Amino acid sequence: KHLPWIYTKKDNPKSLLNLARSSDQGLRCLGVKQLSKHHDWEDYQYRNIAQALDTRTMIGLARSQDVDPRFFLPMPKAPPSKVWLEDEYRTLISSLQNEDLDKCLKHFATKALQLGNNADERDSLFSFGGTGLEFAKSVSSVPEERVEIVCLQALASHSADFRCCQNIIKMGGVQLLQQTYTKRHKSIVIRRQIAKTLGNLSVHQCFHEEIIRAGWVTVLSRWISSSDLTLSLHAARTLANLDTDFVSCTYEDGVYLIHPIYREKESINADIVFVHGLLGGPFKTWRQQDRKGPGADKSSDGTESVKKGTYTFCWPKDWLAKDCGNIRILSVEYDTDLSTWNANCPFETEKRGLTVRASSILQKLKKADIGSRPIIWVGHSMGGLLIKQILSIADDTPGLDNIVNNTVGVLFYSTPHRGSSLAHLSNQASLIVAPTVEVKEMGRDSPMLRRLHKDFQQLVMEHGIPCLSFGELEKTQIRTPKLKMLIVPPESSDPGIGEFHAIKTSHLNICKPWDRDSELYTETLKFIRRCLLQGRIENILKAGMTFKDSDR
């Protein structure tokens, strides 16, 4: 056998493929890396490799940046359907129902089945996640496609349940997704929902073979480099779960890998976890501040600026990852609403409380290997309260104390430590009809918030955790132009711990820097770098090592 370094010097496809199939995990990764660098072979050489690829190598190539698409065989043709796609979805969703299924899943299924059965309703819109307005803007004008989207959203919701996943596989759900993609491959909404469903299926290794055999790795290898952030990160999550040869953790529903989405040779030294707030999202909350459009006071979505390379839809991914090396960035997703009238599911009141949400997120983050290295937490508004609750639960739970012990920094953007003006006004003056649990919990001087903050202060003092907080100084428009308020005034956003900066911006923009030179971003970056250095020092001390002169 040749020495490994000889293989890396060769341009022979077979030699590199043999290296990628090595029994040694390190050599396999080296082989995949060298294969992925080649873009100048003949078509037949790529075709030969594609036909000979084993599963591990194929997934490794799919998670390699700028890989040549000729390494992957086309997705196999899905078996032709004898009935309408919506009828197949209706049959599949019906098969997922059982007596002890989550009430919300039953609710979603009922809505999807009603929409699919009633031809008169095919022009209506029903949204599983996000507001109806956002959903309406994103769907096609074709009624048949709208029904398929609603069914796909219901399927994606069910795929978060393991028993439903088993039935989805058993009933040919992966093949049904193939048929849908073949028919609607131009629809970004459908592609996102398919990728989300595949991501949920990929959580369980027993379903990996089914996903791979259906040819989804080929499609995911394209989606991961998509300019559509949501599609890209859904694909990144799925491929990371499939890549068991390189990734030792699992990204469950609601936990997204923001960086690195590709295989990286550098080791990960710290984790940064972003938690959005009320009505926020794992991606949209962390975009750059919107630019003004040509009309007066009209905001632009930044599309033109993106084309010019001057705007980012996710500053943690595009800025922070470049400014701080050797980090992993995760973003957490959970569903929120202001009013129970608008809630996606009317039966999930008990799930919306801060403690229950925090416990669920904590368990998912534990499976994503949070706690094995230094952690920096970043929260906007209610997200900051969730972070405090997560740390409180972890501190009191045997086996989870490493999450607190490894926390080296917490960053708050307008977190209502002492309550929110919006929640207070809603509770007192019915500004919001039928406010949700999360709104009620953020009432001014809430006993629950006082207890939570007292516990957090004690935890920070005991563990010496640095904190940085930002507060808003500009009022946010509520409902009508006449009603404006500070959603979280400085007396509530200032936790009385660590540094506090009051910024002349609104509640929505407090976590959206204008650019990389803005005070918001420069202070954030400075704080994170200090925390990363502290984490590195603590790791060295824990390992019983001392600094060398060159490291000082």
Side-chain angles (χ1 to χ4, degrees):
K1 292 184 178 180
H2 299 289
L3 292 173
W5 69 268
I6 296 180
Y7 278 105
T8 65
K9 300 297 182 181
K10 286 181 174 287
D11 287 332
N12 187 296
K14 288 185 178 180
S15 297
L16 293 178
L17 183 58
N18 287 336
L19 184 62
R21 290 171 168 173
S22 170
S23 58
D24 181 87
Q25 194 263 353
L27 296 183
R28 288 198 299 272
C29 292
L30 181 61
V32 169
K33 180 181 176 182
Q34 294 302 318
L35 275 172
S36 68
K37 290 181 177 180
H38 285 278
H39 295 268
D40 53 359
W41 287 333
E42 298 294 332
D43 287 346
Y44 79 90
Q45 292 176 299
Y46 288 102
R47 186 166 55 251
N48 290 341
I49 292 179
Q51 292 170 344
L53 281 179
D54 60 286
T55 296
R56 286 188 306 205
T57 305
M58 178 170 55
I59 294 170
L61 286 171
R63 294 195 70 230
S64 300
Q65 192 168 9
D66 299 324
V67 67
D68 197 302
R70 290 175 291 178
F71 277 116
F72 307 98
L73 295 174
M75 172 184 271
K77 288 186 178 180
S81 176
K82 297 180 181 179
V83 297
W84 292 101
L85 276 181
E86 62 186 79
D87 292 332
E88 290 207 42
Y89 275 111
R90 190 160 55 245
T91 300
L92 176 57
I93 293 171
S94 297
S95 73
L96 302 179
Q97 309 310 303
N98 57 66
E99 290 184 1
D100 56 346
L101 190 66
D102 182 90
K103 289 181 180 179
C104 287
L105 293 183
K106 289 183 178 180
H107 174 72
F108 296 157
T110 300
K111 288 290 185 178
L113 294 175
Q114 287 176 347
L115 184 62
N117 274 316
N118 191 342
D120 294 334
E121 292 181 353
R122 292 184 183 182
D123 287 328
S124 65
L125 297 176
F126 185 84
S127 174
F128 299 115
T131 65
L133 178 60
E134 291 173 333
F135 184 67
K137 288 179 178 178
S138 62
V139 298
S140 165
S141 59
V142 182
E144 181 186 345
E145 184 176 336
R146 294 186 189 184
V147 176
E148 292 166 9
I149 289 173
V150 171
C151 289
L152 264 173
Q153 290 179 313
L155 187 65
S157 297
H158 282 73
S159 65
D161 181 275
F162 175 68
R163 292 171 302 170
C164 289
C165 286
Q166 289 178 308
N167 284 328
I168 289 172
I169 296 295
K170 182 180 178 181
M171 295 291 292
V174 174
Q175 290 71 33
L176 181 56
L177 293 177
Q178 276 182 280
Q179 295 170 10
T180 307
Y181 174 64
T182 300
K183 182 180 180 181
R184 306 289 187 194
H185 64 276
K186 292 184 179 180
S187 168
I188 187 61
V189 180
I190 282 182
R191 279 181 284 162
R192 288 174 181 172
Q193 291 301 320
I194 290 175
K196 182 174 183 177
T197 303
L198 291 172
N200 289 343
L201 292 172
S202 70
V203 168
H204 314 286
Q205 288 193 31
C206 55
F207 304 138
H208 286 189
E209 184 180 347
E210 191 76 23
I211 296 171
I212 295 166
R213 187 168 57 242
W216 282 111
V217 174
T218 297
V219 178
L220 292 167
S221 70
R222 295 197 300 268
W223 286 354
I224 195 174
S225 58
S226 170
S227 59
D228 182 84
L229 180 67
T230 303
L231 179 62
S232 171
L233 296 183
H234 277 314
R237 171 179 166 243
T238 306
L239 286 171
N241 284 338
L242 292 175
D243 193 8
T244 55
D245 194 39
F246 192 83
V247 180
S248 58
C249 63
T250 302
Y251 298 100
E252 293 205 345
D253 181 41
V255 177
Y256 293 95
L257 178 63
I258 303 297
H259 174 83
I261 62 174
Y262 299 106
R263 284 189 173 188
E264 294 281 342
K265 63 178 181 180
E266 293 85 6
S267 60
I268 302 298
N269 295 333
D271 290 319
I272 304 179
V273 182
F274 285 79
V275 187
H276 67 80
L278 193 65
L279 299 182
F283 316 130
K284 67 179 182 180
T285 291
W286 311 110
R287 68 183 185 273
Q288 188 177 355
Q289 190 174 142
D290 296 335
R291 271 41 186 155
K292 294 293 182 181
D297 297 325
K298 182 179 179 182
S299 292
S300 164
D301 64 0
T303 303
E304 288 301 318
S305 298
V306 169
K307 291 179 180 178
K308 297 176 183 177
T310 58
Y311 183 91
T312 172
F313 284 113
C314 185
W315 61 262
K317 177 178 182 290
D318 294 331
W319 296 352
L320 191 60
K322 292 182 176 69
D323 292 333
C324 298
N326 303 98
I327 60 172
R328 180 178 63 155
I329 302 175
L330 302 183
S331 187
V332 171
E333 178 182 40
Y334 60 97
D335 184 48
T336 64
D337 278 292
L338 292 175
S339 170
T340 55
W341 284 16
N342 296 325
N344 291 327
C345 175
F347 304 110
E348 61 179 6
T349 302
E350 68 279 3
K351 294 182 179 180
R352 306 186 79 94
L354 206 62
T355 302
V356 176
R357 283 191 195 274
S359 297
S360 174
I361 292 171
L362 178 58
Q363 293 302 322
K364 291 180 179 181
L365 289 175
K366 183 67 176 176
K367 292 180 181 178
D369 204 27
I370 290 295
S372 63
R373 57 179 75 93
I375 314 163
I376 299 172
W377 302 87
V378 183
H380 173 236
S381 193
M382 178 183 165
L385 299 180
L386 277 169
I387 290 170
K388 290 161 67 175
Q389 187 68 67
I390 286 171
L391 292 174
S392 178
I393 294 172
D395 195 41
D396 293 335
T397 306
L400 294 178
D401 55 340
N402 61 327
I403 289 180
V404 176
N405 293 334
N406 277 314
T407 293
V408 295
V410 182
L411 200 158
F412 298 111
Y413 292 107
S414 279
T415 291
H417 300 285
R418 298 172 186 84
S420 164
S421 299
L422 177 62
H424 178 73
L425 191 57
S426 299
N427 294 334
Q428 297 295 317
S430 299
L431 177 64
I432 299 173
V433 178
T436 54
V437 171
E438 53 263 45
V439 172
K440 292 179 180 178
E441 285 186 331
M442 289 191 290
R444 191 179 299 165
D445 294 323
S446 157
M448 185 275 293
L449 291 185
R450 286 202 300 268
R451 287 194 302 270
L452 179 62
H453 195 56
K454 182 179 178 181
D455 292 343
F456 180 71
Q457 286 178 313
Q458 184 177 348
L459 185 145
V460 165
M461 293 293 291
E462 288 179 358
H463 295 272
I465 300 173
C467 295
L468 172 65
S469 302
F470 293 96
E472 70 213 54
L473 289 178
E474 287 186 358
K475 294 181 178 180
T476 300
Q477 180 178 309
I478 306 296
R479 284 192 171 182
T480 66
K482 294 182 180 180
L483 182 57
K484 291 186 177 182
M485 67 171 65
L486 292 174
I487 304 297
V488 182
E491 57 266 26
S492 181
S493 57
D494 183 356
I497 310 169
E499 296 180 47
F500 177 74
H501 296 264
I503 305 293
K504 193 175 180 181
T505 191
S506 67
H507 186 73
L508 295 179
N509 287 329
I510 192 67
C511 56
K512 299 175 179 63
W514 180 258
D515 56 32
R516 294 174 86 162
D517 295 322
S518 65
E519 181 182 359
L520 261 177
Y521 184 70
T522 55
E523 291 298 327
T524 293
L525 180 60
K526 191 188 306 180
F527 175 76
I528 288 176
R529 282 176 169 170
R530 283 203 308 266
C531 294
L532 292 174
L533 178 60
Q534 176 185 328
R536 183 185 174 204
I537 293 172
E538 289 179 357
N539 278 344
I540 292 174
L541 293 177
K542 286 177 183 177
M545 299 172 63
T546 57
F547 282 117
K548 297 180 181 179
D549 290 341
S550 59
D551 291 330
R552 290 179 179 175

